[in-house]
Amino acid sequence: MSLSKNQFSLLRLLESQGEPVTQRELAALAGKSVGTVNKALSELRQLGYIRQNALTDPGREALEPYRARRAVFIAAGFGSRLVPITLNTPKPLVRVHGKRIIDGLLDAVAAAGIDEVYIVRGYLAEQFDVLLRQYPHLRFIENPDYNEANNISSVMYARHLLEGAYVFEADLLLYNPSLVTKYQYGSNYLGISVDKTDDWCFHVHGRRITDVGIGGSQCYQMVGISYWTAEDGARLSGHVRDVYQSPGGRERYWDQVPLQYYAHQYNVSVRPCSFEDIVEIDTYRELKALDKTYGEA
């Protein structure tokens, strides 16, 4: 039986809490009214999924179809805007305050109980082997086209792994690991609400992403972390292949496949976050401003 979104939200919260909580506490955590929470809790009790506001074994089983099964990291690129530091080091392995950029993402994935983790690598690929000391379960996928195609090439080589999967750009500095959760209700992208941006952004109707492009106002600035349900991930595998093999397809960004070229076949929502949660370091100047050990900006 499928869960409603309210039922899912409450079951997920109860699972993460690990102990009974009050309706008011749940309402505050879920950002919903007490009335909405009480109604959903009543439905969950009738289904046998909770008892005294604690998750039952059937409740845990009801969450299983929504569990994130794997994580795929896109880490093949050169990171040209971070020259000179990336001349000898792939961008995800660059250290900020002594910690590699990718480590925060990998730690968040591990905390969410996701142990099937893939890194698509290309530029200075062998350097990623160092991660195996701390994360011995990692599996690598080679992208031989990284130097002559856009990031769609990385997803092309990992396209069979997108079902029930997070897809991460591997160069994001994560400050809020709780953004990577064990369960997800539907396909989504992280986005930051902005008045105006010159970066990649989403336009939405409600929470559904209706368009993606560079620059916009009253939109959500794209954050390179997405999640794909089993159904959407299976569909996306074929669509990525079709676009990649089409004329000019190798020049595309992979996000354009579900959000632009085949948008009518997907229902992808935006999952709001903030600039305090996550940072993409675009330039060497920004890196120096963030970590003074690289010198003054």
Side-chain angles (χ1 to χ4, degrees):
M1 176 182 176
S2 298
L3 298 170
S4 71
K5 195 163 188 178
N6 283 337
Q7 291 171 347
F8 166 81
S9 296
L10 294 182
L11 282 183
R12 186 180 67 82
L13 280 171
L14 290 170
E15 191 276 340
S16 66
Q17 294 301 303
E19 58 184 31
V21 292
T22 68
Q23 281 93 329
R24 290 192 178 279
E25 289 171 332
L26 274 175
L29 288 168
K32 301 181 184 298
S33 70
V34 174
T36 297
V37 167
N38 285 342
K39 180 177 183 294
L41 288 175
S42 177
E43 295 166 350
L44 292 170
R45 289 191 196 98
Q46 291 177 22
L47 291 167
Y49 293 164
I50 63 171
R51 185 181 301 112
Q52 296 179 340
N53 288 4
L55 210 60
T56 63
D57 287 340
R60 294 180 189 281
E61 291 174 10
L63 276 173
E64 276 306 296
Y66 304 92
R67 180 187 285 273
R69 303 295 173 184
R70 60 185 64 87
V72 176
F73 286 83
I74 299 174
F78 175 57
S80 59
R81 289 185 293 176
L82 221 60
V83 168
I85 196 70
T86 50
L87 290 175
N88 300 304
T89 306
K91 187 178 177 183
L93 301 184
V94 170
R95 292 183 180 271
V96 179
H97 301 301
K99 185 175 181 178
R100 292 172 302 221
I101 292 173
I102 198 174
D103 284 359
L105 297 168
L106 291 171
D107 291 344
V109 165
I114 303 168
D115 55 14
E116 190 179 336
V117 184
Y118 301 86
I119 294 180
V120 185
R121 61 185 183 175
Y123 174 65
L124 298 177
E126 69 285 349
Q127 291 199 22
F128 285 92
D129 289 344
V130 71
L131 294 173
L132 294 172
R133 300 175 190 169
Q134 189 171 344
Y135 310 99
H137 60 289
L138 295 182
R139 306 177 206 180
F140 296 116
I141 298 172
E142 311 302 328
N143 176 2
D145 299 335
Y146 76 91
N147 201 33
E148 53 192 47
N150 225 319
N151 71 2
I152 191 174
S153 62
S154 288
V155 178
M156 174 68 178
Y157 285 102
R159 67 187 185 280
H160 57 292
L161 299 168
L162 302 178
E163 300 178 28
Y166 282 101
V167 178
F168 294 87
E169 292 181 8
D171 58 357
L172 298 169
L173 197 60
L174 183 65
Y175 290 119
N176 182 3
S178 67
L179 289 174
V180 183
T181 61
K182 187 185 301 186
Y183 305 101
Q184 287 288 337
Y185 190 71
S187 299
N188 63 74
Y189 270 83
L190 287 179
I192 302 170
S193 180
V194 294
D195 293 329
K196 188 175 183 180
T197 182
D198 295 325
D199 210 331
W200 281 89
C201 61
F202 310 122
H203 287 93
V204 303
H205 180 72
R207 285 287 176 85
R208 180 175 180 174
I209 298 173
T210 58
D211 194 19
V212 63
I214 300 176
S217 57
Q218 304 303 312
C219 57
Y220 284 86
Q221 185 166 314
M222 177 191 286
V223 175
I225 298 177
S226 60
Y227 177 79
W228 302 92
T229 64
E231 182 180 2
D232 283 346
R235 184 184 297 118
L236 191 52
S237 175
H239 288 161
V240 166
R241 180 199 61 225
D242 292 346
V243 171
Y244 191 70
Q245 293 176 347
S246 68
R250 294 159 67 95
E251 309 304 318
R252 308 305 178 195
Y253 290 93
W254 86 269
D255 318 84
Q256 293 176 283
V257 176
L259 300 181
Q260 194 171 65
Y261 302 127
Y262 292 95
H264 62 288
Q265 296 192 38
Y266 295 87
N267 184 0
V268 185
S269 62
V270 66
R271 191 156 59 98
C273 63
S274 73
F275 288 111
E276 285 70 41
D277 291 325
I278 195 163
V279 172
E280 181 177 4
I281 305 171
D282 285 326
T283 66
Y284 188 51
R285 182 180 181 86
E286 290 174 357
L287 175 64
K288 291 192 294 181
L290 194 62
D291 185 340
K292 300 302 184 184
T293 61
Y294 289 99
E296 294 299 323

